[in-house]
Amino acid sequence: MTSAVDRLLADESGRLPRADARRNAERLVKAARIAVAEVGVGVSAHEIARRAGVGVGTFYRRIPSLQALLGTVLDEILVEILDLADRALDDPDPWNGLRVFAVAYVRLRAESCGVGEALGGAGGDALTVRLASLRDRIRRLVERAQSAGVMRADLAWQDVPFLFAAAATGERTLDLQADDQQWERNLGVILDGLRPV
């Protein structure tokens, strides 16, 4: 797969960018990924440039647009999630595959504002194909576990993404502060609830 940097630097001429241009683009992609995790998809070009240690002018010389950068970064993250789902589908144990995927998926949701927003549709039409592919893989993971008798059969596969999203809770509720492992405990209860009675 072509890297995020290569996709952003691609032009019609086929010329390779100068080494310093590539380094700046790499810094911007890395900074954008961190900023999306911490701030979400509402992060500004100025904030990304500041985090990358470049001027905003360099940002716009190296990157087609803020939307292109954010779309590319979110697409790259969704591809990583799809790879996790594919590995889970390859696991000979359907429950273990679903469980391992759930842990990785919910961890990403809990640790990245932008991932949660993208999975909720904030990435717009650019992510439609990736989201459809992810829905298909989650459906297959659920149906596979149900067919093996290791997951409750009375749940629709569509319930599972909502349950996983619920595990990645916010930082506060009822004036209580969640700790770093709150999502793991939430997910453990959810996974227990998915098992047959």
Side-chain angles (χ1 to χ4, degrees):
M1 183 181 132
T2 309
S3 75
V5 172
D6 290 333
R7 282 181 279 153
L8 287 168
L9 293 175
D11 68 12
E12 299 78 34
S13 71
R15 291 177 297 157
L16 294 175
R18 294 185 339 248
D20 65 324
R22 182 168 186 79
R23 278 191 303 275
N24 284 335
E26 288 169 351
R27 291 166 68 185
L28 287 162
V29 167
K30 183 177 179 182
R33 186 157 176 155
I34 294 167
V36 162
E38 294 174 1
V39 178
V41 296
V43 67
S44 70
H46 289 276
E47 176 64 14
I48 294 169
R50 184 190 66 75
R51 288 171 180 248
V54 301
V56 75
T58 298
F59 179 99
Y60 284 110
R61 275 193 304 279
R62 298 294 162 237
I63 305 297
S65 69
L66 175 60
Q67 291 72 28
L69 176 59
L70 294 177
T72 300
V73 166
L74 292 170
D75 184 70
E76 190 172 69
I77 293 168
L78 287 178
V79 167
E80 291 169 14
I81 295 171
L82 289 168
D83 288 343
L84 292 169
D86 288 339
R87 284 196 297 265
L89 286 165
D90 288 340
D91 191 318
D93 179 338
W95 179 254
N96 190 61
L98 178 65
R99 184 190 58 76
V100 168
F101 172 76
V103 169
Y105 177 78
V106 174
R107 176 182 287 122
L108 275 170
R109 283 194 75 118
E111 293 175 353
S112 175
C113 296
V115 169
E117 291 170 344
L119 292 169
D125 292 342
L127 302 178
T128 300
V129 171
R130 298 282 191 224
L131 291 174
S133 295
L134 182 55
R135 284 191 302 273
D136 175 64
R137 283 165 175 83
I138 292 174
R139 177 191 56 77
R140 289 168 43 207
L141 283 166
V142 168
E143 290 174 352
R144 186 171 161 245
Q146 288 174 324
S147 293
V150 294
M151 181 177 161
R152 290 172 45 176
D154 63 326
L155 293 171
W157 75 265
Q158 295 93 332
D159 295 330
V160 174
F162 286 104
L163 292 169
F164 290 169
T169 185
E171 292 180 18
R172 301 186 70 78
T173 187
L174 298 175
D175 207 22
L176 297 170
Q177 179 72 38
D179 62 31
D180 291 342
Q181 286 76 42
Q182 186 66 55
W183 68 267
E184 292 178 83
R185 292 191 300 276
N186 294 349
L187 182 59
V189 171
I190 289 168
L191 289 172
D192 286 347
L194 292 178
R195 299 290 269 174
V197 180

